[in-house]
Amino acid sequence: MIRRFFRLKTARSFPLRRNTIISRVIDFCRRTLGAKNTETVTTEPVAAVAKTAVSSLPPMRVIGRDQHSISRKDISPNALKVLYRLKDAGFEAYLVGGCIRDLLIGLKPKDFDVVTNARPEEIKQVFRNCRLIGRRFRLAHVVFGREVIEVATFRGHHSGAEDDENVNKIASLSDHGQILRDNVYGTIEEDAERRDFTVNALYYSIKDFTIYDFAEGMQSIANRNIELIGDPDVRYREDPVRILRAIRFATKLNMQLAPKTAAPIPQLAVLLKNIPAPRLFDELVKMWLAGKGFDNFMLMRELKVLKQLLPQLEKLLKQEPEGKAFQLITRALQDTDQRVAQDKPVTPAFIFAALLWYPVEVRAQTLLIESGLNENDAFSIAMTEILDDVQRNIAIPKRFSLAMRDIWLLQGRLTKRAGRRAYKLMEQTKFRGAYDFLVLRAAAEGGDLPELAQWWEQFQFTDEANRLELIQQLGRAGQERPKRRRNYKRKPSHD
């Protein structure tokens, strides 16, 4: 009978995935043999994901309006418009996830996400100012000027079954159990199970202003815990970026990772290499440029995550755990955190320049010894090699990688100040970033760099007369005076 089953099913035009075949064999056996309890045992991650991503949730708790602190005055007016319009169109609509969590702990949400039982195409019919995006997750963006309200359809379980009742339930999984495409729609209960962390499984109803707590998220907030819903091993395999999200939420919310949530991270961090390089860059920007960069960096080192993302840096940090590389990165991240707190501009180029400066320097020294190149050529080749190596995992956009190169190259030129060179250097577009980088290096390395950084500080913020005096002092000290080579004409010989 099983052979007949395979002949019938494989006669279709589309190929069946292995997990789909397994699922259908089990269903066929249950129907034919009347088996009540049939279990499969497999060591392959994809089979674990194919069954059910998470375990059953605790009983849902309804928190009345008089039992929570969220008020509509704290919610974006545009988000309220989306909620009410979906409700008036006959659909369910809830605020969900981070915005509810942040409001409950007294933070101001950066954005407001909406979830509904309307399909993406139905959402687009309700809103003229809507565009559909995404392949992995089909989402609707409702645009109000500069504000975008993201609207998602309730997610269902990605069991892999493709029967007639659920022809739209299409999920694509990798061999490692990672979700590649997931337009699987379900109920609010299934959507809650599909959420990553308990503190994100909170839904605010526009009908009666109550909060639906499906995973004891309120208790997690009270306990200051970041905890995954379901089996952490499976959830991390579904989307390895959850490793970074867990770290980021713990530092952002001043919470701690639950032991069960933290335990698998060192072993599964290698799965981050399967994440598309552009997405990984975006996630790292959130990690390092959102005001908690230093805390995130330290937790990433502790959980062996940095080793998978920047092995060139991790090798140096392992050799000298608190050496100059660590000192430079610490100061760069702390300075960036302070600028974010003061609402000053920050750039990924500066942080990545700090993270990779010493790997570039070490590689340049190796090239000098092995190949006999001059310093400029060795440094240029080292920059290219390190950046190319990093780009395989982290797609740093060209506008930032070029800025990093400028900052690095100017470090050598800042030592050459005689004559008009200092004036020309100040005209460079990346001079200020290079100077700030020099200041951090001076604090990390010492030696002659503090004196050089102080000279440039004086030169920038003084008048023209003092600038000339600073340059003349270099000449009197015998520094950097270029030796002029005279061309003597050879007198013709008279033989």
Side-chain angles (χ1 to χ4, degrees):
M1 287 187 293
I2 292 178
R3 289 181 179 177
R4 181 183 177 188
F5 170 83
F6 275 111
R7 285 199 301 269
L8 289 173
K9 293 300 181 181
T10 55
R12 297 183 179 182
S13 59
F14 56 87
L16 292 177
R17 294 185 177 276
R18 188 173 180 218
N19 56 334
T20 303
I21 295 173
I22 294 171
S23 176
R24 291 186 174 180
V25 169
I26 294 170
D27 292 339
F28 177 76
C29 292
R30 283 174 177 168
R31 290 194 305 268
T32 306
L33 304 176
K36 295 182 179 180
N37 295 307
T38 305
E39 296 182 356
T40 58
V41 179
T42 177
T43 58
E44 294 192 26
V46 66
V49 177
K51 293 187 291 182
T52 309
V54 294
S55 60
S56 59
L57 293 176
M60 188 264 291
R61 178 187 171 196
V62 179
I63 303 164
R65 176 62 189 89
D66 57 342
Q67 297 176 292
H68 65 78
S69 58
I70 296 179
S71 171
R72 279 175 290 174
K73 67 181 181 181
D74 299 323
I75 300 173
S76 161
N78 293 323
L80 291 174
K81 288 179 185 178
V82 171
L83 290 169
Y84 278 116
R85 196 177 298 180
L86 286 170
K87 172 179 170 290
D88 294 341
F91 299 107
E92 297 179 50
Y94 304 85
L95 283 180
V96 67
C99 58
I100 305 302
R101 176 201 68 214
D102 290 351
L103 288 172
L104 287 171
I105 63 179
L107 297 178
K108 185 178 180 180
K110 287 188 176 181
D111 46 43
F112 291 84
D113 295 334
V114 174
V115 68
T116 177
N117 61 342
R119 299 294 175 91
E121 294 75 15
E122 294 173 324
I123 299 169
K124 188 172 178 64
Q125 291 176 359
V126 176
F127 300 96
R128 290 187 299 175
N129 54 329
C130 173
R131 62 173 182 261
L132 302 183
I133 66 164
R135 294 181 58 190
R136 181 172 177 270
F137 293 113
R138 193 73 166 156
L139 298 170
H141 279 181
V142 184
V143 182
F144 297 91
R146 299 183 65 180
E147 184 178 14
V148 176
I149 306 299
E150 186 173 277
V151 185
T153 305
F154 291 144
R155 300 291 169 190
H157 292 312
H158 42 80
S159 64
E162 297 175 7
D163 52 41
D164 295 335
E165 295 179 0
N166 297 299
V167 292
N168 291 323
K169 289 194 172 187
I170 302 172
S172 176
L173 307 175
S174 74
D175 293 337
H176 301 284
Q178 181 181 340
I179 300 176
L180 304 177
R181 186 178 64 254
D182 183 23
N183 294 312
V184 181
Y185 306 129
T187 64
I188 186 173
E189 291 81 9
E190 291 176 327
D191 188 83
E193 289 184 334
R194 291 291 309 279
R195 297 278 154 183
D196 47 10
F197 301 100
T198 57
V199 294
N200 289 342
L202 298 168
Y203 296 72
Y204 176 85
S205 173
I206 199 61
K207 288 183 178 180
D208 51 11
F209 317 121
T210 58
I211 293 176
Y212 297 163
D213 182 357
F214 286 92
E216 298 182 346
M218 298 292 285
Q219 188 62 44
S220 294
I221 291 175
N223 295 339
R224 314 298 295 177
N225 263 350
I226 298 297
E227 187 169 359
L228 274 167
I229 297 173
D231 182 358
D233 186 86
V234 174
R235 303 314 304 277
Y236 286 139
R237 288 182 184 277
E238 285 179 349
D239 186 2
V241 167
R242 285 175 180 149
I243 292 172
L244 300 181
R245 284 168 59 82
I247 294 172
R248 181 160 57 87
F249 287 153
T251 58
K252 173 186 175 181
L253 304 175
N254 293 318
M255 296 183 179
Q256 60 184 358
L257 291 174
K260 184 179 176 182
T261 300
I265 290 179
Q267 180 183 358
L268 297 180
V270 67
L271 296 176
L272 288 168
K273 293 182 178 180
N274 299 328
I275 298 299
R279 185 183 178 206
L280 202 51
F281 171 80
D282 292 339
E283 291 296 330
L284 290 177
V285 167
K286 295 176 188 176
M287 298 286 286
W288 291 329
L289 276 81
K292 292 286 186 176
F294 175 71
D295 293 339
N296 286 328
F297 176 80
M298 296 300 292
L299 194 50
M300 289 169 71
R301 282 194 68 192
E302 179 183 340
L303 295 174
K304 313 298 183 185
V305 174
L306 189 68
K307 176 182 178 181
Q308 304 300 332
L309 300 176
L310 296 173
Q312 311 90 340
L313 173 61
E314 178 64 21
K315 182 178 179 181
L316 293 180
L317 293 176
K318 187 176 181 180
Q319 294 172 355
E320 296 183 85
E322 295 186 5
K324 58 184 182 180
F326 176 76
Q327 297 298 327
L328 175 64
I329 294 166
T330 295
R331 285 172 168 81
L333 290 170
Q334 290 176 339
D335 181 66
T336 300
D337 291 345
Q338 186 176 3
R339 291 181 66 86
V340 172
Q342 297 171 352
D343 202 23
K344 292 182 179 180
V346 293
T347 173
F350 193 83
I351 292 298
F352 278 97
L355 291 166
L356 298 174
W357 166 254
Y358 288 109
V360 169
E361 189 179 67
V362 168
R363 181 56 183 156
Q365 292 297 323
T366 302
L367 288 172
L368 276 174
I369 296 171
E370 293 180 351
S371 63
L373 295 168
N374 61 53
E375 290 186 3
N376 290 336
D377 290 342
F379 193 77
S380 179
I381 293 173
M383 287 192 301
T384 300
E385 288 184 0
I386 294 297
L387 283 173
D388 286 348
D389 195 23
V390 170
Q391 292 279 13
R392 293 188 181 94
N393 293 327
I394 306 169
I396 303 174
K398 193 173 183 178
R399 65 183 184 277
F400 297 131
S401 62
L402 290 177
M404 292 164 60
R405 286 176 176 269
D406 289 341
I407 290 173
W408 289 337
L409 288 170
L410 284 172
Q411 297 307 297
R413 294 181 61 186
L414 286 173
T415 62
K416 300 175 176 61
R417 299 159 283 169
R420 299 292 302 174
R421 290 177 176 176
Y423 291 97
K424 290 181 179 179
L425 281 173
M426 285 186 60
E427 296 173 358
Q428 297 289 324
T429 56
K430 299 302 178 184
F431 168 78
R432 182 65 195 185
Y435 164 73
D436 291 340
F437 196 78
L438 174 65
V439 172
L440 295 182
R441 287 181 58 215
E445 295 183 36
D448 296 332
L449 291 181
E451 181 181 351
L452 179 63
Q454 184 179 10
W455 188 94
W456 275 109
E457 182 179 7
Q458 294 174 351
F459 190 81
Q460 288 178 81
F461 304 110
T462 190
D463 56 28
E464 185 63 23
N466 286 329
R467 286 180 177 176
L468 291 173
E469 177 62 23
L470 286 169
I471 293 175
Q472 290 173 1
Q473 288 175 1
L474 293 175
R476 287 195 294 268
Q479 297 178 8
E480 304 182 41
R481 180 185 293 274
K483 295 181 179 180
R484 300 184 64 182
R485 188 172 181 179
R486 296 184 181 182
N487 293 324
Y488 294 97
K489 292 184 179 180
R490 180 179 296 178
K491 295 182 179 180
S493 57
H494 301 279
D495 295 334

